[in-house]
Amino acid sequence: MYSQQLKTFVRVAERGSLSKAAEDLYVTPASVMKQINALEARLEVTLFTRTNHGMALTEAGQYLYGAARDMMAESERVIRQARAIQRKSAKTIRVGSSFLNPGNVLIDLWNRISPAPAEYRFKIVPYDDDHQRILSVVSSLGKTMDFLVGALNSAQMLRLSRFYQLGEYRLCVAVPRNHRLAEKEMLSLNDLHGERLVAVKGGDTLQLDRLRELLKLTHPQIILEDADYFYDLETFNHCEVTGSLLLTLDAWANIHPALATLPVDWDFTVPYGILYAPDISGPAKEFLEELQALHTQYSSDMQLAADSSL
């Protein structure tokens, strides 16, 4: 609302020194002097007299200083009011968030790709990672929350909701940090021979079912242990206590401090994205449509950039 030159002028007037004002503004004294000279030239007014003791305001400078402080205070008030009006008029989007599936993944993406990120106000709705109750959380879409974000594309979930893919997570294996494999940078399937690998049981997620079939056919030496259809923190605790390995995602690398998440030399990934109610409506529907259009353009731009760098 007000110029940087005016802000610099006020700071020099208050500090009485170019060097002290420069310290406050995190610039060099030369930069401060340049801005003061430019302001005096633009206004055709001498604002300071330079003395051995610093910078002293002229009579005209004293008048401008008082007026400038009033202008800056009024500008800040106007800006606060404008922001309050925007917050009041912004459309609220409720995003579910848990330890395994934090809602900030969606919010960070929106802030990165939207030309007007403040058009929507995000409300975080916390929920617990509980493998027995996750389907009831999905059922609440459209009621207590608008979106869930994460690798949530199981067949059971998709019977209750709709899914829009944002990207892919890489399938990895987590090992206890005292395990013989923990120091490796990347695992091979042969490394897993003789190990117990905890994984989501079959029949619910296509990508995981394909991996399970591959392991059974080509690496029967790997002992598959069924977890539930959905992980929670107890799944990670179980592997740490028993010394078992865990089929996991690169996005969950920091979930459990006693487990090291390692890539495997395979090409298996699972999609991640947002879940929403089949009958989505209102601001949530508007947000989804805008997100889909912006994300499509963003993905296209990223692909073009990647192709041009080859």
Side-chain angles (χ1 to χ4, degrees):
M1 295 285 287
Y2 48 85
S3 71
Q4 182 62 37
Q5 290 176 354
L6 195 62
K7 181 179 178 181
T8 301
F9 161 71
V10 169
R11 187 54 56 93
V12 174
E14 291 176 342
R15 298 288 275 164
S17 164
L18 291 174
S19 59
K20 291 179 180 179
E23 290 177 4
D24 293 346
L25 297 170
Y26 301 101
V27 296
T28 64
S31 175
V32 172
M33 175 64 80
K34 183 177 180 180
Q35 291 186 56
I36 295 300
N37 290 340
L39 181 61
E40 289 182 326
R42 181 160 61 90
L43 299 179
E44 298 181 352
V45 172
T46 300
L47 301 173
F48 293 99
T49 57
R50 282 72 170 176
T51 71
N52 293 333
H53 302 292
M55 305 287 286
L57 286 168
T58 64
E59 185 176 354
Q62 290 174 352
Y63 174 78
L64 181 62
Y65 169 66
R69 288 191 62 185
D70 292 341
M71 290 166 54
M72 292 169 65
E74 178 62 13
S75 293
E76 294 296 337
R77 186 196 67 78
V78 169
I79 291 170
R80 287 195 299 270
Q81 183 64 22
R83 287 171 177 167
I85 292 171
Q86 178 172 276
R87 287 194 297 269
K88 186 176 179 181
S89 61
K91 303 164 188 175
T92 299
I93 302 300
R94 302 166 298 176
V95 182
S97 184
S98 73
F99 192 53
L100 291 180
N101 298 297
N104 69 286
V105 173
L106 174 59
I107 298 170
D108 291 346
L109 173 64
W110 176 255
N111 288 335
R112 188 164 64 249
I113 68 176
S114 174
E119 180 182 357
Y120 293 94
R121 173 178 173 268
F122 294 98
K123 178 181 179 181
I124 292 294
V125 181
Y127 67 92
D128 292 329
D129 293 304
D130 185 332
H131 71 275
Q132 295 180 330
R133 297 177 56 191
I134 185 61
L135 292 180
S136 67
V137 174
V138 175
S139 298
S140 71
L141 286 167
K143 301 169 187 174
T144 62
M145 61 184 74
D146 299 309
F147 298 102
L148 294 172
V149 58
L152 302 167
N153 63 323
S154 81
Q156 296 177 75
M157 291 182 177
L158 295 181
R159 284 194 287 269
L160 301 170
S161 62
R162 299 292 179 267
F163 181 76
Y164 175 69
Q165 184 173 341
L166 296 173
E168 292 181 324
Y169 288 145
R170 186 176 182 181
L171 280 172
C172 299
V173 168
V175 306
R177 292 196 179 275
N178 59 359
H179 193 280
R180 64 179 181 87
L181 298 175
E183 298 302 319
K184 295 183 70 71
E185 293 185 1
M186 176 175 287
L187 300 175
S188 69
L189 286 172
N190 288 339
D191 289 329
L192 306 181
H193 288 183
E195 299 291 342
R196 188 173 297 275
L197 178 63
V198 177
V200 171
K201 60 185 176 182
D204 189 55
T205 304
L206 178 62
Q207 293 82 3
L208 299 182
D209 287 349
R210 288 174 175 168
L211 175 57
R212 291 177 66 97
E213 288 303 311
L214 172 70
L215 296 181
K216 288 179 181 179
L217 289 174
T218 62
H219 293 271
Q221 302 93 333
I222 301 173
I223 306 165
L224 288 175
E225 177 183 330
D226 287 345
D228 207 299
Y229 287 121
F230 313 110
Y231 288 175
D232 56 24
L233 291 178
E234 284 306 311
T235 311
F236 292 81
N237 289 334
H238 166 77
C239 292
E240 192 274 327
V241 170
T242 63
S244 302
L245 310 188
L246 178 67
L247 185 66
T248 186
L249 305 175
D250 54 0
W252 291 341
N254 298 317
I255 289 295
H256 199 297
L259 299 178
T261 298
L262 304 175
V264 186
D265 60 353
W266 59 32
D267 294 322
F268 283 93
T269 60
V270 295
Y272 78 88
I274 54 174
L275 288 180
Y276 55 93
D279 57 349
I280 189 172
S281 60
K285 183 178 181 181
E286 295 175 21
F287 172 80
L288 176 64
E289 291 171 349
E290 290 186 44
L291 175 69
Q292 289 172 326
L294 290 168
H295 182 253
T296 298
Q297 183 60 52
Y298 175 76
S299 299
S300 176
D301 292 344
M302 293 295 287
Q303 185 60 53
L304 286 174
D307 292 343
S308 64
S309 65
L310 296 178

